[in-house]
Amino acid sequence: MTGEPPARGVAGILASAALARAFTLTVFGAVFGAVAIERIAGRVTYATILTGLCVFAVGMLVARRREISLVRLVPTTLVLFIGWTFASIFWSTDATRSFWGWVSLAGVALLAVTIGHVRDTLQTVRALGDVMRVLLSISLGLEVLSGILLDMPLRFLGIEGRIAEFGPIQGIFGTRNLLGFAAVLALITFLIEYRTQSVRAGLSLFSVVLGGVMAVLSDSPTVVVLAAAVAVAAAALGLVRHTSPDRRPALQWVFGGVLIVGIGAAYLARHQIIAWLGAGSDFSTRATLWANLLNYVRMRPVQGWGWFGPWAPSEIPFIAINFQSGQTHASALNAYFDVLLQLGWVGLLLFLLLCGFAFVRAWLVASERRSIIYAWTPLILVALLVDSMFESFTLSGLGWLLLVLCAVRAGQSRSWRERMDAPDGSELPHDGGLRG
């Protein structure tokens, strides 16, 4: 206790726990429901919502400035990556579009940073769980309405109404792949809720079944890969957590070696895996796209073509890549290739550092702390990083929001900032009192 009187007026409202909870729910609802908002009310409406939330975010951080350490505010790797995306505006083929793409990237990052400082991990999980229950329920209800009751597509939402055929369905997420990705993220969250007993058992069971049904009905080939990767990571993390502290470092190195070997084996057996998943046509499309994309990477290997985020179809090199591929793509269908194309090898290195530091820190924290709540961050990161090999969701919208949030959360607990700002090793206020 500092002995300071609680803030009153506007500052008191901005620093209140009630507003922090409402803000977190609204951010998750808006970003995860972005496709539905844009298709119903337009992109300007969605941009206006995010702008208003960013204004609130700045106000909340200012109101809580005494309890937030400046050195813990944003991970250095995140600052460097966003800084490089801003620098790319100056050599972009369309500086105006690149600028607004950067504004979108920085705005969503600001929202994630704010959530990371006004909510602890358990509160974040509960908020995301509440939002995903609503969005997945709405998606299922609209699919039933379209595919069974009306037997007609809801084209304004992108719903094809194929639930009677057991999918693929899209819900309010626009595509089956995005629905499947969101469903896997929701399942991780629901299972963490169940293990922490933070919701009633009946509601928890309903949530897990709902997430599983939506993941299956999405009929997305990436869902199987994501589910397998998260399951393996969860099993490995559980084994590490139950290993004595003196044996953990050796086990961690073993798992690191197994991971490297596994990635190499998966690459060598990629054709067999693709055939087993029944995703040959999808991979063929991606292979053609990536081959054409790499031709343009060679033209600007270091700095890239400038940051756009989702592709601008009328701009170079995107229009040329789509023309050569014979299709119209809104991304590289691979986050790493997308960063390489738009930001060059420098940008890709910074992105890998951002993801790598976040994952290693989150994994080490989860393996050392007793509460299962700390497992949420590394498992979400596993889903994000694996999905980035098949889609570019991690570079915008809900994927980017969660990536930054996880990076902020991991950086609060295990970095040079902790030693600088808390030399006595005291517990972080963001941990919500859950000691390891």
Side-chain angles (χ1 to χ4, degrees):
M1 298 296 290
T2 63
E4 298 180 2
R8 297 182 180 181
V10 176
I13 295 174
L14 290 173
S16 66
L19 181 63
R21 181 177 185 276
F23 174 83
T24 304
L25 290 169
T26 306
V27 169
F28 282 145
V31 176
F32 276 75
V35 174
I37 294 173
E38 289 189 6
R39 292 192 173 183
I40 294 173
R43 180 164 297 179
V44 173
T45 300
Y46 177 64
T48 303
I49 293 172
L50 289 192
T51 301
L53 289 171
C54 287
V55 172
F56 271 101
V58 172
M60 293 168 67
L61 291 176
V62 171
R64 292 170 175 259
R65 61 189 179 277
R66 290 186 177 87
E67 64 185 71
I68 297 176
S69 170
L70 183 60
V71 296
R72 280 204 185 120
L73 183 61
V74 184
T76 304
T77 50
L78 176 61
V79 174
L80 292 174
F81 179 72
I82 293 182
W84 184 251
T85 60
F86 180 80
S88 73
I89 295 172
F90 297 99
W91 58 77
S92 168
T93 56
D94 188 332
T96 301
R97 286 192 176 184
S98 286
F99 172 75
W100 288 114
W102 178 83
V103 168
S104 176
L105 185 81
V108 174
L110 172 61
L111 299 179
V113 168
T114 304
I115 291 175
H117 286 282
V118 301
R119 299 270 88 182
D120 63 29
T121 307
L122 180 59
Q123 292 165 340
T124 302
V125 169
R126 287 285 291 109
L128 182 58
D130 288 342
V131 168
M132 291 309 299
R133 268 185 287 275
V134 172
L135 295 183
L136 292 180
S137 296
I138 292 174
S139 293
L140 181 59
L142 289 173
E143 288 286 352
V144 170
L145 176 66
S146 172
I148 297 178
L149 300 181
L150 299 180
D151 194 21
M152 60 179 291
L154 301 177
R155 301 197 184 281
F156 73 101
L157 286 174
I159 295 177
E160 298 179 3
R162 299 182 61 182
I163 192 171
E165 307 169 24
F166 298 103
I169 66 173
Q170 304 79 33
I172 62 172
F173 294 89
T175 67
R176 63 173 183 167
N177 286 338
L178 185 55
L179 171 61
F181 177 53
V184 171
L185 297 175
L187 275 171
I188 296 170
T189 304
F190 296 152
L191 291 171
I192 293 295
E193 283 184 327
Y194 169 74
R195 289 294 307 275
T196 57
Q197 299 181 349
S198 54
V199 298
R200 299 189 308 274
L203 181 60
S204 182
L205 177 61
F206 164 78
S207 302
V208 173
V209 171
L210 174 65
V213 168
M214 297 304 285
V216 171
L217 290 179
S218 72
D219 196 26
S220 171
T222 59
V223 165
V224 178
V225 178
L226 288 179
V230 172
V232 171
L237 184 58
L239 182 59
V240 171
R241 286 168 57 85
H242 288 87
T243 301
S244 59
D246 58 315
R247 295 181 179 179
R248 281 178 189 163
L251 185 60
Q252 301 278 32
W253 282 108
V254 170
F255 281 146
V258 170
L259 176 63
I260 294 173
V261 172
I263 293 174
Y267 176 78
L268 294 175
R270 61 192 183 279
H271 297 296
Q272 292 86 343
I273 295 173
I274 292 166
W276 177 71
L277 292 173
S281 60
D282 283 349
F283 185 80
S284 176
T285 298
R286 284 169 166 79
T288 301
L289 174 63
W290 296 339
N292 293 327
L293 179 150
L294 289 175
N295 292 329
Y296 289 87
V297 169
R298 296 186 187 98
M299 296 180 187
R300 294 189 178 182
V302 177
Q303 80 276 25
W305 290 83
W307 179 257
F308 288 86
W311 287 9
S314 60
E315 291 295 327
I316 296 292
F318 311 120
I319 185 173
I321 294 172
N322 281 333
F323 177 77
Q324 293 176 359
S325 302
Q327 297 183 346
T328 301
H329 297 285
S331 73
L333 300 180
N334 182 299
Y336 308 109
F337 279 138
D338 235 332
V339 173
L340 181 60
L341 175 68
Q342 299 185 45
L343 298 177
W345 285 104
V346 174
L348 180 59
L349 176 61
L350 293 175
F351 182 69
L352 292 176
L353 287 174
L354 169 63
C355 298
F357 275 111
F359 177 72
V360 171
R361 287 169 175 168
W363 182 274
L364 293 177
V365 169
S367 63
E368 294 171 359
R369 303 287 179 93
R370 285 202 305 269
S371 176
I372 195 63
I373 192 64
Y374 294 103
W376 180 81
T377 304
L379 294 182
I380 289 290
L381 284 170
V382 167
L384 293 173
L385 299 181
V386 172
D387 188 77
S388 293
M389 294 187 292
F390 309 101
E391 299 287 350
S392 296
F393 298 145
T394 311
L395 301 179
S396 62
L398 62 92
W400 175 244
L401 178 77
L402 289 182
L403 176 62
V404 175
L405 177 58
C406 290
V408 171
R409 185 74 65 206
Q412 289 169 345
S413 300
R414 196 177 186 95
S415 74
W416 58 269
R417 296 172 179 81
E418 186 175 20
R419 294 187 294 273
M420 173 184 290
D421 201 38
D424 60 347
S426 58
E427 188 71 20
L428 295 177
H430 307 284
D431 290 335
L434 295 172
R435 295 184 176 272

